Amino acid sequence: MELFAMSTLSNSTNIFWHECQVGKPAKQKLLNQNGCVVWITGLSGSGKSTLACSLSRELHSKGKLSYVLDGDNLRHGLNKDLGFKPEDRTENIRRTGEVAKLFADAGLICVASLISPYRRDRDTCRAMLPDANFIEVFMNMPLELCEARDPKGLYKLARAGKIKGFTGIDDPYEPPISCEIELNQENGVCPTPTFMAGKVVTYLEEKGFLGYLRVWWI
Amino acid sequence: MELFAMSTLSNSTNIFWHECQVGKPAKQKLLNQNGCVVWITGLSGSGKSTLACSLSRELHSKGKLSYVLDGDNLRHGLNKDLGFKPEDRTENIRRTGEVAKLFADAGLICVASLISPYRRDRDTCRAMLPDANFIEVFMNMPLELCEARDPKGLYKLARAGKIKGFTGIDDPYEPPISCEIELNQENGVCPTPTFMAGKVVTYLEEKGFLGYLRVWWI
């Protein structure tokens, strides 16, 4: 009896895992939304965190579950062992992409907010997901504007040579060649956080991410 | 005007982030549950994945959102750069703990299923969260049983010396000294997946994780 029970459980371990796992579709149905990754890229000071926050609030007000992965915050936790060497930057983005993928798999709208200056690194993250589920948002703000804002005082330090390899100063930012959403100044005026969030929300609505897709057979 | 707008946005970037971020309480209210980490530890073949799966199904049937972080699965993604050296195992657990913390912060019941043989590594993950939000579940099954099951054929390889540093064979498993839930055989009979999941669900219910806690002032 005991051996039989052991054997049954042993066999069912593998089968159970593959057959019974509550997958993404079930979670999406529960949440009435479709999991995806909104990847916000741009220079320091371009407004990535502001957009991420505004977007998170807007989605929440619509009863949608999102989660913000903020580059700076992650460097205090998951990525605290990483510095700013090129290979560390790449690993920083890779790990963030892997975690974003897990959140999307859990049915959430995952908002990743990182400078992510290298095109190749962003494309690596895109390739982790079905293409339509990776929504790249480019904060296309001029360097002069970002430097004038300098919310963390980092441009000043970079110009003084106290930070090396700073994106936009002595390390390149590679703009997306083809991204889903681009945000920029109009007539020299910056869009408001609400306007920017609205643009992303509209995109998500149009693509069906804010309602669970039901297929009716008629 | 433009400078003013820039300045306003610049200032609001920092304030906005801290003040307006949709935090854990708001997400918990939306989900009507409280985020936490259920950390399942035990030997290979002790039934961790089986419990994780069964628990995930049971929670889903109650309309609760959970997400399983499976040690094996993560080694194909987030942790694919890590091997099985002691420092790699430690980093494997650390990263999983950091991600579990993020999921709990998003309001989910995060179910982490890893051998996680070293007490110190598990305690590191526990320390990342408020103590009550880390629920350690010890699959206390005898080595002989796990080895008899050997669902992945790994014990056989370890006994043949083809895998080095295998937990329970030539690498130690350090059982928890004090864990929230312990699962073991009763009269030589293994508990069923449903029974095990039920025990965890009961714990979560009793501790208020399956309903958003509202405090009424009376």
Side-chain angles (χ1 to χ4, degrees), chain A residues 2 6 9-10 13 17 20 26-27 50 57 60 66-67 73 77-78 81 94-95 105 145 149 188, chain B residues 2 6 9-10 13 17 20 26-27 50 57 60 66-67 73 77-78 81 94-95 105 145 149 188:
Chain A
E2 191 185 332
M6 273 157 48
L9 192 53
S10 166
T13 302
W17 173 248
C20 304
K27 291 178 194 297
T50 303
R57 287 178 67 202
H60 186 77
S66 66
Y67 193 69
N73 291 356
L78 178 66
D81 54 321
R94 185 192 73 82
R95 286 189 204 166
D105 190 47
L145 172 68
R149 287 174 175 170
Chain B
E2 192 184 330
M6 274 157 48
L9 193 54
S10 166
T13 301
W17 173 249
C20 303
K27 291 178 194 299
T50 302
R57 287 178 67 203
H60 187 76
S66 66
Y67 193 69
N73 291 357
L78 177 66
D81 55 321
R94 185 193 73 82
R95 286 188 204 166
D105 189 48
L145 172 67
R149 288 172 174 170

mmCIF file of all heavy atoms in Angstrom, chain A residues 2 6 9-10 13 17 20 26-27 50 57 60 66-67 73 77-78 81 94-95 105 145 149 188, chain B residues 2 6 9-10 13 17 20 26-27 50 57 60 66-67 73 77-78 81 94-95 105 145 149 188:
data_model
loop_
_atom_site.group_PDB
_atom_site.id
_atom_site.type_symbol
_atom_site.label_atom_id
_atom_site.label_comp_id
_atom_site.label_asym_id
_atom_site.label_seq_id
_atom_site.Cartn_x
_atom_site.Cartn_y
_atom_site.Cartn_z
ATOM 1 N N GLU A 2 1.856 1.199 0.851
ATOM 2 C CA GLU A 2 2.701 2.383 0.938
ATOM 3 C C GLU A 2 3.499 2.580 -0.347
ATOM 4 O O GLU A 2 3.601 3.682 -0.873
ATOM 5 C CB GLU A 2 3.649 2.226 2.134
ATOM 6 C CG GLU A 2 4.385 3.506 2.474
ATOM 7 C CD GLU A 2 5.384 3.285 3.578
ATOM 8 O OE1 GLU A 2 5.176 2.384 4.408
ATOM 9 O OE2 GLU A 2 6.385 4.004 3.593
ATOM 10 N N MET A 6 3.383 5.704 -2.910
ATOM 11 C CA MET A 6 4.597 6.414 -3.296
ATOM 12 C C MET A 6 4.708 6.481 -4.816
ATOM 13 O O MET A 6 4.962 7.520 -5.392
ATOM 14 C CB MET A 6 5.829 5.687 -2.751
ATOM 15 C CG MET A 6 6.211 6.090 -1.347
ATOM 16 S SD MET A 6 7.175 4.799 -0.545
ATOM 17 C CE MET A 6 8.384 4.424 -1.790
ATOM 18 N N LEU A 9 2.194 8.813 -6.420
ATOM 19 C CA LEU A 9 2.554 10.213 -6.245
ATOM 20 C C LEU A 9 3.762 10.562 -7.111
ATOM 21 O O LEU A 9 3.825 11.626 -7.716
ATOM 22 C CB LEU A 9 2.852 10.485 -4.755
ATOM 23 C CG LEU A 9 2.953 11.961 -4.383
ATOM 24 C CD1 LEU A 9 1.714 12.706 -4.842
ATOM 25 C CD2 LEU A 9 3.129 12.120 -2.886
ATOM 26 N N SER A 10 4.692 9.595 -7.154
ATOM 27 C CA SER A 10 5.889 9.829 -7.952
ATOM 28 C C SER A 10 5.531 10.052 -9.414
ATOM 29 O O SER A 10 5.978 10.996 -10.041
ATOM 30 C CB SER A 10 6.834 8.628 -7.834
ATOM 31 O OG SER A 10 7.827 8.682 -8.823
ATOM 32 N N THR A 13 3.645 13.333 -10.030
ATOM 33 C CA THR A 13 4.410 14.571 -9.872
ATOM 34 C C THR A 13 4.649 15.233 -11.213
ATOM 35 O O THR A 13 4.359 16.403 -11.409
ATOM 36 C CB THR A 13 5.770 14.297 -9.197
ATOM 37 O OG1 THR A 13 5.516 13.695 -7.932
ATOM 38 C CG2 THR A 13 6.548 15.589 -8.996
ATOM 39 N N TRP A 17 2.257 18.417 -12.805
ATOM 40 C CA TRP A 17 2.951 19.675 -13.097
ATOM 41 C C TRP A 17 2.587 20.206 -14.470
ATOM 42 O O TRP A 17 2.280 21.361 -14.642
ATOM 43 C CB TRP A 17 4.455 19.429 -12.997
ATOM 44 C CG TRP A 17 5.296 20.579 -13.424
ATOM 45 C CD1 TRP A 17 6.101 20.661 -14.515
ATOM 46 C CD2 TRP A 17 5.419 21.843 -12.761
ATOM 47 N NE1 TRP A 17 6.721 21.879 -14.575
ATOM 48 C CE2 TRP A 17 6.317 22.623 -13.510
ATOM 49 C CE3 TRP A 17 4.862 22.395 -11.607
ATOM 50 C CZ2 TRP A 17 6.675 23.917 -13.156
ATOM 51 C CZ3 TRP A 17 5.209 23.691 -11.252
ATOM 52 C CH2 TRP A 17 6.109 24.419 -12.022
ATOM 53 N N CYS A 20 -1.770 20.426 -14.723
ATOM 54 C CA CYS A 20 -2.671 21.107 -13.802
ATOM 55 C C CYS A 20 -2.264 22.521 -13.443
ATOM 56 O O CYS A 20 -2.990 23.226 -12.778
ATOM 57 C CB CYS A 20 -2.826 20.292 -12.523
ATOM 58 S SG CYS A 20 -3.379 18.628 -12.873
ATOM 59 N N ALA A 26 -5.898 31.390 -17.669
ATOM 60 C CA ALA A 26 -6.778 31.354 -16.491
ATOM 61 C C ALA A 26 -6.575 32.599 -15.627
ATOM 62 O O ALA A 26 -7.545 33.184 -15.121
ATOM 63 C CB ALA A 26 -6.506 30.095 -15.683
ATOM 64 N N LYS A 27 -5.332 32.994 -15.479
ATOM 65 C CA LYS A 27 -5.049 34.181 -14.660
ATOM 66 C C LYS A 27 -5.597 35.444 -15.332
ATOM 67 O O LYS A 27 -6.127 36.343 -14.679
ATOM 68 C CB LYS A 27 -3.542 34.308 -14.422
ATOM 69 C CG LYS A 27 -2.999 33.211 -13.498
ATOM 70 C CD LYS A 27 -1.498 33.318 -13.320
ATOM 71 C CE LYS A 27 -0.891 32.075 -12.705
ATOM 72 N NZ LYS A 27 -1.352 31.760 -11.351
ATOM 73 N N THR A 50 8.106 59.065 -14.123
ATOM 74 C CA THR A 50 6.870 59.851 -14.068
ATOM 75 C C THR A 50 5.774 59.172 -14.869
ATOM 76 O O THR A 50 4.641 59.030 -14.401
ATOM 77 C CB THR A 50 7.125 61.270 -14.626
ATOM 78 O OG1 THR A 50 8.179 61.874 -13.861
ATOM 79 C CG2 THR A 50 5.877 62.122 -14.551
ATOM 80 N N ARG A 57 -1.191 54.474 -11.995
ATOM 81 C CA ARG A 57 -2.386 55.054 -11.358
ATOM 82 C C ARG A 57 -3.589 54.958 -12.275
ATOM 83 O O ARG A 57 -4.688 54.616 -11.845
ATOM 84 C CB ARG A 57 -2.140 56.520 -11.020
ATOM 85 C CG ARG A 57 -1.209 56.732 -9.849
ATOM 86 C CD ARG A 57 -0.976 58.211 -9.621
ATOM 87 N NE ARG A 57 -2.175 58.880 -9.187
ATOM 88 C CZ ARG A 57 -2.394 60.184 -9.304
ATOM 89 N NH1 ARG A 57 -1.482 60.955 -9.871
ATOM 90 N NH2 ARG A 57 -3.514 60.730 -8.860
ATOM 91 N N HIS A 60 -4.776 51.418 -12.481
ATOM 92 C CA HIS A 60 -5.430 51.039 -11.223
ATOM 93 C C HIS A 60 -6.839 51.633 -11.142
ATOM 94 O O HIS A 60 -7.777 50.965 -10.694
ATOM 95 C CB HIS A 60 -4.583 51.497 -10.035
ATOM 96 C CG HIS A 60 -5.116 51.011 -8.720
ATOM 97 N ND1 HIS A 60 -4.938 49.715 -8.286
ATOM 98 C CD2 HIS A 60 -5.844 51.621 -7.752
ATOM 99 C CE1 HIS A 60 -5.526 49.565 -7.114
ATOM 100 N NE2 HIS A 60 -6.075 50.698 -6.763
ATOM 101 N N SER A 66 -1.339 46.321 -12.421
ATOM 102 C CA SER A 66 -0.042 46.506 -13.061
ATOM 103 C C SER A 66 1.044 46.443 -12.000
ATOM 104 O O SER A 66 0.756 46.456 -10.805
ATOM 105 C CB SER A 66 0.000 47.866 -13.773
ATOM 106 O OG SER A 66 -0.062 48.908 -12.814
ATOM 107 N N TYR A 67 2.279 46.354 -12.457
ATOM 108 C CA TYR A 67 3.395 46.428 -11.506
ATOM 109 C C TYR A 67 4.573 47.106 -12.184
ATOM 110 O O TYR A 67 4.905 46.777 -13.322
ATOM 111 C CB TYR A 67 3.801 45.033 -11.012
ATOM 112 C CG TYR A 67 4.722 45.136 -9.814
ATOM 113 C CD1 TYR A 67 4.227 45.596 -8.595
ATOM 114 C CD2 TYR A 67 6.074 44.820 -9.902
ATOM 115 C CE1 TYR A 67 5.051 45.734 -7.490
ATOM 116 C CE2 TYR A 67 6.913 44.946 -8.800
ATOM 117 C CZ TYR A 67 6.399 45.406 -7.595
ATOM 118 O OH TYR A 67 7.223 45.549 -6.502
ATOM 119 N N ASN A 73 15.165 51.114 -8.500
ATOM 120 C CA ASN A 73 14.741 50.284 -7.361
ATOM 121 C C ASN A 73 15.340 48.881 -7.435
ATOM 122 O O ASN A 73 15.776 48.323 -6.419
ATOM 123 C CB ASN A 73 13.208 50.184 -7.314
ATOM 124 C CG ASN A 73 12.560 51.509 -6.951
ATOM 125 O OD1 ASN A 73 13.259 52.484 -6.670
ATOM 126 N ND2 ASN A 73 11.242 51.549 -6.963
ATOM 127 N N GLY A 77 17.871 45.798 -5.033
ATOM 128 C CA GLY A 77 17.465 44.447 -4.651
ATOM 129 C C GLY A 77 18.030 43.403 -5.594
ATOM 130 O O GLY A 77 19.211 43.066 -5.524
ATOM 131 N N LEU A 78 17.198 42.945 -6.518
ATOM 132 C CA LEU A 78 17.598 41.880 -7.444
ATOM 133 C C LEU A 78 18.946 42.139 -8.104
ATOM 134 O O LEU A 78 19.760 41.220 -8.248
ATOM 135 C CB LEU A 78 16.514 41.720 -8.522
ATOM 136 C CG LEU A 78 16.796 40.682 -9.614
ATOM 137 C CD1 LEU A 78 16.829 39.276 -9.034
ATOM 138 C CD2 LEU A 78 15.751 40.772 -10.722
ATOM 139 N N ASP A 81 24.015 43.407 -7.114
ATOM 140 C CA ASP A 81 25.389 42.930 -7.327
ATOM 141 C C ASP A 81 25.982 43.490 -8.624
ATOM 142 O O ASP A 81 27.142 43.212 -8.936
ATOM 143 C CB ASP A 81 25.411 41.394 -7.371
ATOM 144 C CG ASP A 81 24.432 40.826 -8.396
ATOM 145 O OD1 ASP A 81 23.318 41.377 -8.530
ATOM 146 O OD2 ASP A 81 24.775 39.836 -9.063
ATOM 147 N N ARG A 94 18.803 42.170 -18.846
ATOM 148 C CA ARG A 94 18.357 40.791 -19.047
ATOM 149 C C ARG A 94 17.499 40.319 -17.875
ATOM 150 O O ARG A 94 16.399 39.794 -18.065
ATOM 151 C CB ARG A 94 19.560 39.845 -19.204
ATOM 152 C CG ARG A 94 19.159 38.398 -19.534
ATOM 153 C CD ARG A 94 20.309 37.408 -19.409
ATOM 154 N NE ARG A 94 20.677 37.118 -18.032
ATOM 155 C CZ ARG A 94 20.058 36.241 -17.232
ATOM 156 N NH1 ARG A 94 19.019 35.562 -17.669
ATOM 157 N NH2 ARG A 94 20.456 36.058 -15.992
ATOM 158 N N ARG A 95 18.006 40.512 -16.665
ATOM 159 C CA ARG A 95 17.250 40.069 -15.488
ATOM 160 C C ARG A 95 15.912 40.777 -15.393
ATOM 161 O O ARG A 95 14.889 40.161 -15.089
ATOM 162 C CB ARG A 95 18.055 40.344 -14.209
ATOM 163 C CG ARG A 95 19.206 39.391 -14.007
ATOM 164 C CD ARG A 95 19.797 39.603 -12.623
ATOM 165 N NE ARG A 95 21.175 39.178 -12.539
ATOM 166 C CZ ARG A 95 22.008 39.494 -11.542
ATOM 167 N NH1 ARG A 95 21.584 40.242 -10.538
ATOM 168 N NH2 ARG A 95 23.251 39.066 -11.544
ATOM 169 N N ASP A 105 3.382 36.809 -17.478
ATOM 170 C CA ASP A 105 2.865 35.440 -17.432
ATOM 171 C C ASP A 105 1.830 35.282 -16.315
ATOM 172 O O ASP A 105 0.937 34.442 -16.387
ATOM 173 C CB ASP A 105 4.044 34.473 -17.222
ATOM 174 C CG ASP A 105 3.641 33.021 -17.393
ATOM 175 O OD1 ASP A 105 2.951 32.713 -18.380
ATOM 176 O OD2 ASP A 105 4.000 32.199 -16.527
ATOM 177 N N LEU A 145 17.110 69.030 -22.715
ATOM 178 C CA LEU A 145 15.986 69.095 -21.779
ATOM 179 C C LEU A 145 16.260 68.218 -20.556
ATOM 180 O O LEU A 145 16.107 68.649 -19.406
ATOM 181 C CB LEU A 145 14.699 68.631 -22.482
ATOM 182 C CG LEU A 145 13.471 68.457 -21.589
ATOM 183 C CD1 LEU A 145 13.000 69.808 -21.062
ATOM 184 C CD2 LEU A 145 12.323 67.784 -22.355
ATOM 185 N N ARG A 149 16.726 69.379 -16.703
ATOM 186 C CA ARG A 149 15.925 68.844 -15.587
ATOM 187 C C ARG A 149 16.838 68.263 -14.514
ATOM 188 O O ARG A 149 16.733 68.580 -13.345
ATOM 189 C CB ARG A 149 15.014 67.714 -16.083
ATOM 190 C CG ARG A 149 13.853 68.164 -16.914
ATOM 191 C CD ARG A 149 13.148 66.920 -17.456
ATOM 192 N NE ARG A 149 11.932 67.223 -18.188
ATOM 193 C CZ ARG A 149 11.260 66.337 -18.902
ATOM 194 N NH1 ARG A 149 11.686 65.090 -18.965
ATOM 195 N NH2 ARG A 149 10.166 66.675 -19.540
ATOM 196 N N GLY A 188 7.810 72.376 -28.669
ATOM 197 C CA GLY A 188 8.689 72.722 -27.554
ATOM 198 C C GLY A 188 8.068 72.556 -26.183
ATOM 199 O O GLY A 188 8.644 72.932 -25.173
ATOM 200 N N GLU B 2 8.372 77.497 -21.207
ATOM 201 C CA GLU B 2 8.904 76.158 -21.395
ATOM 202 C C GLU B 2 9.787 75.762 -20.218
ATOM 203 O O GLU B 2 9.711 74.659 -19.697
ATOM 204 C CB GLU B 2 9.704 76.112 -22.700
ATOM 205 C CG GLU B 2 10.062 74.702 -23.123
ATOM 206 C CD GLU B 2 10.929 74.707 -24.355
ATOM 207 O OE1 GLU B 2 10.805 75.633 -25.172
ATOM 208 O OE2 GLU B 2 11.729 73.781 -24.490
ATOM 209 N N MET B 6 9.338 72.703 -17.709
ATOM 210 C CA MET B 6 10.411 71.753 -17.461
ATOM 211 C C MET B 6 10.689 71.626 -15.971
ATOM 212 O O MET B 6 10.790 70.549 -15.425
ATOM 213 C CB MET B 6 11.697 72.229 -18.146
ATOM 214 C CG MET B 6 11.820 71.815 -19.589
ATOM 215 S SD MET B 6 12.924 72.901 -20.511
ATOM 216 C CE MET B 6 14.346 72.995 -19.459
ATOM 217 N N LEU B 9 7.948 69.794 -14.142
ATOM 218 C CA LEU B 9 7.989 68.364 -14.382
ATOM 219 C C LEU B 9 9.195 67.751 -13.667
ATOM 220 O O LEU B 9 9.108 66.680 -13.085
ATOM 221 C CB LEU B 9 8.058 68.079 -15.890
ATOM 222 C CG LEU B 9 7.806 66.633 -16.288
ATOM 223 C CD1 LEU B 9 6.487 66.156 -15.708
ATOM 224 C CD2 LEU B 9 7.762 66.499 -17.804
ATOM 225 N N SER B 10 10.302 68.521 -13.715
ATOM 226 C CA SER B 10 11.501 68.022 -13.056
ATOM 227 C C SER B 10 11.256 67.815 -11.573
ATOM 228 O O SER B 10 11.559 66.784 -11.017
ATOM 229 C CB SER B 10 12.654 69.023 -13.262
ATOM 230 O OG SER B 10 13.703 68.732 -12.382
ATOM 231 N N THR B 13 8.846 64.952 -10.751
ATOM 232 C CA THR B 13 9.307 63.583 -11.013
ATOM 233 C C THR B 13 9.581 62.850 -9.705
ATOM 234 O O THR B 13 9.095 61.755 -9.479
ATOM 235 C CB THR B 13 10.607 63.596 -11.859
ATOM 236 O OG1 THR B 13 10.337 64.263 -13.073
ATOM 237 C CG2 THR B 13 11.052 62.177 -12.157
ATOM 238 N N TRP B 17 6.800 60.206 -7.813
ATOM 239 C CA TRP B 17 7.214 58.814 -7.592
ATOM 240 C C TRP B 17 6.888 58.357 -6.197
ATOM 241 O O TRP B 17 6.373 57.281 -5.970
ATOM 242 C CB TRP B 17 8.725 58.720 -7.864
ATOM 243 C CG TRP B 17 9.329 57.413 -7.524
ATOM 244 C CD1 TRP B 17 10.199 57.145 -6.516
ATOM 245 C CD2 TRP B 17 9.108 56.170 -8.200
ATOM 246 N NE1 TRP B 17 10.538 55.834 -6.517
ATOM 247 C CE2 TRP B 17 9.879 55.205 -7.541
ATOM 248 C CE3 TRP B 17 8.325 55.783 -9.288
ATOM 249 C CZ2 TRP B 17 9.908 53.870 -7.934
ATOM 250 C CZ3 TRP B 17 8.348 54.444 -9.680
ATOM 251 C CH2 TRP B 17 9.128 53.521 -9.006
ATOM 252 N N CYS B 20 2.634 59.160 -5.435
ATOM 253 C CA CYS B 20 1.494 58.704 -6.225
ATOM 254 C C CYS B 20 1.576 57.246 -6.664
ATOM 255 O O CYS B 20 0.649 56.721 -7.240
ATOM 256 C CB CYS B 20 1.348 59.578 -7.460
ATOM 257 S SG CYS B 20 1.181 61.303 -7.016
ATOM 258 N N ALA B 26 -3.188 49.258 -2.056
ATOM 259 C CA ALA B 26 -4.173 49.480 -3.121
ATOM 260 C C ALA B 26 -4.320 48.233 -3.994
ATOM 261 O O ALA B 26 -5.432 47.853 -4.375
ATOM 262 C CB ALA B 26 -3.758 50.673 -3.974
ATOM 263 N N LYS B 27 -3.205 47.592 -4.290
ATOM 264 C CA LYS B 27 -3.254 46.382 -5.118
ATOM 265 C C LYS B 27 -3.958 45.251 -4.370
ATOM 266 O O LYS B 27 -4.726 44.472 -4.944
ATOM 267 C CB LYS B 27 -1.843 45.960 -5.526
ATOM 268 C CG LYS B 27 -1.199 46.936 -6.518
ATOM 269 C CD LYS B 27 0.215 46.523 -6.868
ATOM 270 C CE LYS B 27 0.994 47.616 -7.577
ATOM 271 N NZ LYS B 27 0.437 48.065 -8.855
ATOM 272 N N THR B 50 4.544 19.406 -6.853
ATOM 273 C CA THR B 50 3.179 18.882 -6.760
ATOM 274 C C THR B 50 2.335 19.760 -5.847
ATOM 275 O O THR B 50 1.206 20.132 -6.187
ATOM 276 C CB THR B 50 3.210 17.436 -6.217
ATOM 277 O OG1 THR B 50 4.019 16.657 -7.093
ATOM 278 C CG2 THR B 50 1.819 16.854 -6.150
ATOM 279 N N ARG B 57 -3.825 25.774 -7.968
ATOM 280 C CA ARG B 57 -5.175 25.457 -8.457
ATOM 281 C C ARG B 57 -6.229 25.786 -7.408
ATOM 282 O O ARG B 57 -7.280 26.329 -7.716
ATOM 283 C CB ARG B 57 -5.274 23.965 -8.794
ATOM 284 C CG ARG B 57 -4.537 23.595 -10.062
ATOM 285 C CD ARG B 57 -4.654 22.107 -10.296
ATOM 286 N NE ARG B 57 -6.013 21.687 -10.599
ATOM 287 C CZ ARG B 57 -6.487 20.460 -10.421
ATOM 288 N NH1 ARG B 57 -5.708 19.520 -9.895
ATOM 289 N NH2 ARG B 57 -7.713 20.159 -10.744
ATOM 290 N N HIS B 60 -6.674 29.476 -7.116
ATOM 291 C CA HIS B 60 -7.383 29.989 -8.296
ATOM 292 C C HIS B 60 -8.878 29.685 -8.214
ATOM 293 O O HIS B 60 -9.710 30.538 -8.553
ATOM 294 C CB HIS B 60 -6.789 29.385 -9.563
ATOM 295 C CG HIS B 60 -7.347 29.989 -10.814
ATOM 296 N ND1 HIS B 60 -6.971 31.237 -11.271
ATOM 297 C CD2 HIS B 60 -8.282 29.551 -11.689
ATOM 298 C CE1 HIS B 60 -7.640 31.523 -12.369
ATOM 299 N NE2 HIS B 60 -8.439 30.516 -12.649
ATOM 300 N N SER B 66 -2.314 33.776 -7.627
ATOM 301 C CA SER B 66 -1.015 33.321 -7.134
ATOM 302 C C SER B 66 -0.068 33.193 -8.320
ATOM 303 O O SER B 66 -0.486 33.257 -9.478
ATOM 304 C CB SER B 66 -1.152 31.973 -6.424
ATOM 305 O OG SER B 66 -1.527 30.977 -7.360
ATOM 306 N N TYR B 67 1.208 33.035 -8.003
ATOM 307 C CA TYR B 67 2.169 32.757 -9.072
ATOM 308 C C TYR B 67 3.253 31.842 -8.537
ATOM 309 O O TYR B 67 3.783 32.071 -7.446
ATOM 310 C CB TYR B 67 2.787 34.040 -9.637
ATOM 311 C CG TYR B 67 3.522 33.770 -10.940
ATOM 312 C CD1 TYR B 67 2.804 33.434 -12.078
ATOM 313 C CD2 TYR B 67 4.909 33.807 -11.008
ATOM 314 C CE1 TYR B 67 3.457 33.148 -13.269
ATOM 315 C CE2 TYR B 67 5.564 33.534 -12.198
ATOM 316 C CZ TYR B 67 4.830 33.199 -13.328
ATOM 317 O OH TYR B 67 5.472 32.909 -14.512
ATOM 318 N N ASN B 73 12.344 25.863 -13.361
ATOM 319 C CA ASN B 73 11.952 26.768 -14.449
ATOM 320 C C ASN B 73 12.822 28.021 -14.465
ATOM 321 O O ASN B 73 13.229 28.488 -15.529
ATOM 322 C CB ASN B 73 10.478 27.165 -14.307
ATOM 323 C CG ASN B 73 9.540 25.995 -14.564
ATOM 324 O OD1 ASN B 73 9.995 24.901 -14.903
ATOM 325 N ND2 ASN B 73 8.256 26.211 -14.387
ATOM 326 N N GLY B 77 15.635 30.560 -17.182
ATOM 327 C CA GLY B 77 15.452 31.969 -17.514
ATOM 328 C C GLY B 77 16.325 32.863 -16.658
ATOM 329 O O GLY B 77 17.524 32.973 -16.873
ATOM 330 N N LEU B 78 15.712 33.467 -15.654
ATOM 331 C CA LEU B 78 16.415 34.431 -14.801
ATOM 332 C C LEU B 78 17.757 33.907 -14.294
ATOM 333 O O LEU B 78 18.743 34.632 -14.267
ATOM 334 C CB LEU B 78 15.516 34.796 -13.598
ATOM 335 C CG LEU B 78 16.127 35.741 -12.569
ATOM 336 C CD1 LEU B 78 16.376 37.127 -13.154
ATOM 337 C CD2 LEU B 78 15.222 35.846 -11.337
ATOM 338 N N ASP B 81 22.338 31.667 -15.859
ATOM 339 C CA ASP B 81 23.788 31.860 -15.799
ATOM 340 C C ASP B 81 24.404 31.184 -14.574
ATOM 341 O O ASP B 81 25.623 31.231 -14.405
ATOM 342 C CB ASP B 81 24.112 33.364 -15.778
ATOM 343 C CG ASP B 81 23.393 34.098 -14.650
ATOM 344 O OD1 ASP B 81 22.211 33.767 -14.385
ATOM 345 O OD2 ASP B 81 23.998 34.995 -14.037
ATOM 346 N N ARG B 94 18.865 33.791 -3.606
ATOM 347 C CA ARG B 94 18.727 35.234 -3.371
ATOM 348 C C ARG B 94 17.849 35.879 -4.442
ATOM 349 O O ARG B 94 16.903 36.610 -4.139
ATOM 350 C CB ARG B 94 20.107 35.913 -3.362
ATOM 351 C CG ARG B 94 20.044 37.407 -3.000
ATOM 352 C CD ARG B 94 21.351 38.143 -3.288
ATOM 353 N NE ARG B 94 21.592 38.367 -4.703
ATOM 354 C CZ ARG B 94 21.072 39.361 -5.433
ATOM 355 N NH1 ARG B 94 20.258 40.238 -4.862
ATOM 356 N NH2 ARG B 94 21.337 39.487 -6.722
ATOM 357 N N ARG B 95 18.165 35.586 -5.697
ATOM 358 C CA ARG B 95 17.380 36.187 -6.789
ATOM 359 C C ARG B 95 15.918 35.762 -6.712
ATOM 360 O O ARG B 95 15.011 36.566 -6.915
ATOM 361 C CB ARG B 95 17.954 35.780 -8.153
ATOM 362 C CG ARG B 95 19.239 36.478 -8.498
ATOM 363 C CD ARG B 95 19.615 36.168 -9.947
ATOM 364 N NE ARG B 95 21.032 36.318 -10.190
ATOM 365 C CZ ARG B 95 21.655 35.859 -11.269
ATOM 366 N NH1 ARG B 95 20.966 35.201 -12.205
ATOM 367 N NH2 ARG B 95 22.948 36.036 -11.422
ATOM 368 N N ASP B 105 4.739 42.110 -3.258
ATOM 369 C CA ASP B 105 4.518 43.556 -3.261
ATOM 370 C C ASP B 105 3.419 43.934 -4.256
ATOM 371 O O ASP B 105 2.725 44.931 -4.076
ATOM 372 C CB ASP B 105 5.837 44.267 -3.609
ATOM 373 C CG ASP B 105 5.744 45.763 -3.415
ATOM 374 O OD1 ASP B 105 5.265 46.197 -2.349
ATOM 375 O OD2 ASP B 105 6.147 46.508 -4.326
ATOM 376 N N LEU B 145 12.305 7.783 0.799
ATOM 377 C CA LEU B 145 11.091 7.952 -0.001
ATOM 378 C C LEU B 145 11.387 8.771 -1.268
ATOM 379 O O LEU B 145 11.024 8.380 -2.382
ATOM 380 C CB LEU B 145 10.025 8.662 0.847
ATOM 381 C CG LEU B 145 8.753 9.090 0.103
ATOM 382 C CD1 LEU B 145 7.964 7.872 -0.347
ATOM 383 C CD2 LEU B 145 7.891 9.989 0.980
ATOM 384 N N ARG B 149 11.172 7.551 -5.134
ATOM 385 C CA ARG B 149 10.373 8.246 -6.159
ATOM 386 C C ARG B 149 11.270 8.630 -7.334
ATOM 387 O O ARG B 149 10.958 8.331 -8.477
ATOM 388 C CB ARG B 149 9.764 9.527 -5.589
ATOM 389 C CG ARG B 149 8.639 9.316 -4.616
ATOM 390 C CD ARG B 149 8.299 10.670 -4.009
ATOM 391 N NE ARG B 149 7.131 10.631 -3.147
ATOM 392 C CZ ARG B 149 6.760 11.633 -2.373
ATOM 393 N NH1 ARG B 149 7.445 12.752 -2.356
ATOM 394 N NH2 ARG B 149 5.691 11.530 -1.602
ATOM 395 N N GLY B 188 3.254 6.321 7.861
ATOM 396 C CA GLY B 188 3.907 5.808 6.660
ATOM 397 C C GLY B 188 3.180 6.103 5.368
ATOM 398 O O GLY B 188 3.547 5.624 4.299
#
